[in-house]
Amino acid sequence: STLLSPDALIKHPLQNKWALWFFKNDRTKEWTANLKLVTSFDTVEDFWALYNHVQKASKLPSGCDYSLFKDGIQPMWEDGQNKDGGRWLINLNKQQRHSDLDNFWLETLLCLIGESFEEYSDDVNGAVVNVRNKGDKLSLWTRDATRPDAIMKIGKKLKDSLKIPIKIAIGFQAHTDTMTKTGSTARDRFRV
Amino acid sequence: GSKIFYERSFLLQCRNSP
């Protein structure tokens, strides 16, 4: 009988269990009713089975979101593990939906499930992609907005993974600032 | 404790394995 290496038999376990959420903007319903948990997974193989199965972000109708968060964390500021945190926010222009959005989202997912942020991976809660007519947004959420070393390391790694040029800066906003903002955007606590 | 992490290239290799 042929001997199969364990590699071919067992699924590759991830450090964390992750949950994919889908939000569809239906104004006739309550906001939370529009947020659906798709499924959760904790192996590389199950991640790909999910990713290859669902619609690409760039093909989602405007007003929809995908979120991938560690199991047990809901993709909203109000969650106990998000409320003291913040997000690195990447604003895309309209052309980037076709050129960059899907690549950016996949590279972000691979950073999350692969624990690419090394000793700061525990600071990462998840990531969100918002598909919007006025410009799509991708954000990476961390659990504590008062940890500059972790936040800067995570921001640099994110830019590097997405191959965002050095001269293009991205900003980190604390959720508390975003919640209480008066203007259109919250102030950046960090930039990289 | 020890952490399980995966390189991007390895994850991409796994995409098409059966």
Side-chain angles (χ1 to χ4, degrees):
Chain A
S1 65
T2 58
L3 276 177
L4 281 177
S5 81
D7 214 32
L9 291 174
I10 54 159
K11 290 185 183 180
H12 295 81
L14 298 175
Q15 176 67 30
N16 284 290
K17 186 172 192 177
W18 297 87
L20 179 70
W21 300 76
F22 176 70
F23 174 84
K24 184 169 177 51
N25 200 10
D26 177 347
R27 294 187 196 289
T28 64
K29 290 203 203 117
E30 260 297 309
W31 179 77
T32 43
N34 289 328
L35 182 63
K36 295 272 191 308
L37 170 63
V38 176
T39 188
S40 50
F41 57 88
D42 57 9
T43 67
V44 175
E45 288 74 12
D46 290 346
F47 161 70
W48 284 119
L50 173 62
Y51 180 82
N52 294 333
H53 171 71
V54 296
Q55 180 70 280
K56 288 279 179 291
S58 59
K59 299 289 183 282
L60 293 176
S62 185
C64 290
D65 303 346
Y66 274 138
S67 300
L68 190 82
F69 274 75
K70 286 175 181 170
D71 194 42
I73 305 178
Q74 291 198 301
M76 54 184 78
W77 305 329
E78 296 82 354
D79 187 283
Q81 296 184 72
N82 282 328
K83 63 182 176 50
D84 300 326
R87 63 177 180 167
W88 281 108
L89 179 62
I90 297 171
N91 290 297
L92 285 81
N93 62 44
K94 294 196 170 100
Q95 291 71 31
Q96 284 182 293
R97 177 173 298 174
H98 303 294
S99 56
D100 293 324
L101 181 62
D102 292 329
N103 292 332
F104 280 7
W105 180 236
L106 177 56
E107 292 298 337
T108 303
L109 295 178
L110 297 181
C111 282
L112 293 179
I113 68 171
E115 304 294 330
S116 303
F117 302 103
E118 298 159 4
E119 72 274 31
Y120 296 115
S121 288
D122 291 343
D123 274 76
V124 173
N125 281 353
V128 179
V129 58
N130 309 108
V131 178
R132 300 293 183 273
N133 282 335
K134 56 183 174 26
D136 303 329
K137 288 182 287 186
L138 187 141
S139 54
L140 192 123
W141 292 34
T142 71
R143 67 177 169 74
D144 185 340
T146 66
R147 285 169 47 85
D149 298 344
I151 291 168
M152 290 305 286
K153 177 78 182 281
I154 290 167
K156 287 193 179 88
K157 175 64 184 174
L158 181 63
K159 269 187 81 170
D160 182 46
S161 301
L162 270 53
K163 298 186 176 45
I164 294 177
I166 292 176
K167 62 179 172 34
I168 295 183
I170 60 173
F172 181 91
Q173 300 154 3
H175 295 316
T176 47
D177 293 344
T178 307
M179 279 182 232
T180 56
K181 70 176 191 266
T182 49
S184 63
T185 52
R187 67 183 177 92
D188 289 338
R189 294 250 185 129
F190 303 95
R191 289 176 72 78
V192 71
Chain B
S2 63
K3 261 208 162 66
I4 303 173
F5 69 93
Y6 292 100
E7 294 292 341
R8 175 184 181 278
S9 50
F10 178 82
L11 293 173
L12 289 171
Q13 265 169 36
C14 291
R15 181 172 193 176
N16 305 315
S17 65

